[in-house]
């Protein structure tokens, strides 16, 4: 394993923060902010909210409609991030997502259910635009999808809702 420079380590941390924002913006339905995590010309594949090869605007339009009334929780873990050149990086993130649809909607991934829990990986490319790292390509791969049964317990909410402007 080669030693990494301080600049590489700072870049990796910036990319980790970027991915955390991506998950938070999806789950708290901050669609305008979500659009801001993508580089110009970004391409997205493997997502139920837009066709493969979609640009960020198409993806955000699709996800904002598809998940408008859905409870979603996206977790990413233990990324492997490599700086591949000046202002360019790649990463892979193990992921888990939980999506619970309202009674009058059904997910295409599990049409006979109330939702699903998915497991897989985000494979991504990043580009530094000015001083900011952004997602240039996102590909979701799923290794498993577990349906939520029709009798899955109804959601119980905590005392506080997320504060979108906390940071």
């Amino acid at each position: 394993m080669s030693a990494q420079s301080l600049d590489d380590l700072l870049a990796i941390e910036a990319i980790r923060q970027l991915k955390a924002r991506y998950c938070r913006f999806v789950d708290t339905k901050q669609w305008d902010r979500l659009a801001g995590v993508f580089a110009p010309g970004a391409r997205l594949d493997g997502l139920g909210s837009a066709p493969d090869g979609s640009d960020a605007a198409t993806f955000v339009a699709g996800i904002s409609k598809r998940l408008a009334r859905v409870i979603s929780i996206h977790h990413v873990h233990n990324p492997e991030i490599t700086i591949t050149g000046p202002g360019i990086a790649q990463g892979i993130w193990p992921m888990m997502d939980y999506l619970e649809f309202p009674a009058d909607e059904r997910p295409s991934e599990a049409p006979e259910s109330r939702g699903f829990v998915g497991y897989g990986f985000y494979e991504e490319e990043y580009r530094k635009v000015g001083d900011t790292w952004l997602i240039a390509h996102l590909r979701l791969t799923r290794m498993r999808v577990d349906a939520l049964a029709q009798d899955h317990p109804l959601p119980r909410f905590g005392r506080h809702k997320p504060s979108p402007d906390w940071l």
Side-chain angles (χ1 to χ4, degrees), residues 113-135:
S113 71
R114 292 201 30 231
F116 64 91
V117 180
Y119 307 89
F121 294 92
Y122 283 106
E123 300 166 346
E124 297 180 335
E125 295 174 356
Y126 311 97
R127 185 169 59 239
K128 193 171 185 182
V129 178
D131 292 333
T132 305
W133 284 93
L134 298 170
I135 299 170

Side-chain angles (χ1 to χ4, degrees), residues 78-148:
N78 303 324
E80 298 171 64
I81 300 170
T82 302
I83 307 302
T84 57
I88 302 169
Q90 291 183 316
I92 186 166
W93 300 79
M95 61 77 66
M96 185 223 87
D97 59 355
Y98 173 97
L99 286 91
E100 184 173 346
F101 287 71
D104 60 339
E105 293 182 36
R106 292 290 175 257
S108 58
E109 295 84 350
E112 301 302 318
S113 71
R114 292 201 30 231
F116 64 91
V117 180
Y119 307 89
F121 294 92
Y122 283 106
E123 300 166 346
E124 297 180 335
E125 295 174 356
Y126 311 97
R127 185 169 59 239
K128 193 171 185 182
V129 178
D131 292 333
T132 305
W133 284 93
L134 298 170
I135 299 170
H137 179 239
L138 181 154
R139 180 175 179 256
L140 174 61
T141 61
R142 290 192 186 278
M143 298 180 70
R144 182 181 174 112
V145 174
D146 293 335
L148 299 180

